[in-house]
Amino acid sequence: MKKSLFEKYGGFSVVSRIVMDLYNRVLDDDDVGPFFDDVDMSRIIDHQTKFVSSLMGGPASYTDEQITLMHARLDIGTLHFDQLKILLSQTLDDHDVTPEDVEEIVSAFEVRRGLVVKP
């Protein structure tokens, strides 16, 4: 049986390090960083660790409805989503995730675009 990417890369401990690195980049970014002003970052990192784990085939998951509700009050545009995708790709690459696996994870992220981007 084929291992999930979550298992292949070492589970929650590795995903947690990836997400912490990702959010260091996000907070430094002029386009997406402001979304996290006045936000409990430990809570966001916990949620995002679970979310990225699910993108990698791990045990945690969020329904489409939950994702939509969590982002409903935010004015997230195409530019913001695209920038987060770039930051996610770079972070995964810097953590030695293979290009094929980066593409798979980022594609799973892209599927959720319509749940968070305002038309």
Side-chain angles (χ1 to χ4, degrees):
M1 187 157 126
K2 184 181 172 192
K3 276 186 175 183
S4 69
L5 297 180
F6 177 78
E7 294 168 315
K8 177 180 177 180
Y9 288 101
F12 279 116
S13 63
V14 173
V15 175
S16 179
R17 284 194 298 274
I18 291 170
V19 170
M20 290 178 76
D21 185 10
L22 172 63
Y23 274 87
N24 285 331
R25 297 167 195 232
V26 166
L27 292 172
D28 286 341
D29 187 88
D30 292 336
D31 294 319
V32 293
F35 284 100
F36 300 94
D37 293 346
D38 305 321
V39 172
D40 178 358
M41 287 309 295
S42 63
R43 186 170 168 251
I44 291 292
I45 288 174
D46 179 60
H47 284 295
Q48 288 299 329
T49 299
K50 292 173 185 170
F51 178 66
V52 173
S53 293
S54 72
L55 295 178
M56 297 174 73
S61 66
Y62 291 99
T63 66
D64 289 355
E65 183 180 345
Q66 288 172 313
I67 293 169
T68 300
L69 286 172
M70 285 187 257
H71 297 86
R73 65 176 181 75
L74 303 172
D75 191 22
I76 299 171
T78 299
L79 172 109
H80 305 116
F81 194 90
D82 290 345
Q83 184 61 18
L84 191 52
K85 239 172 85 169
I86 290 166
L87 294 172
L88 176 60
S89 295
Q90 291 170 343
T91 305
L92 291 166
D93 185 58
D94 288 348
H95 284 266
D96 299 322
V97 176
T98 68
E100 301 81 22
D101 293 344
V102 169
E103 178 60 35
E104 186 174 333
I105 295 163
V106 171
S107 292
F109 180 70
E110 174 64 37
V111 167
R112 285 133 177 112
R113 177 184 291 267
L115 303 174
V116 298
V117 173
K118 301 293 186 218

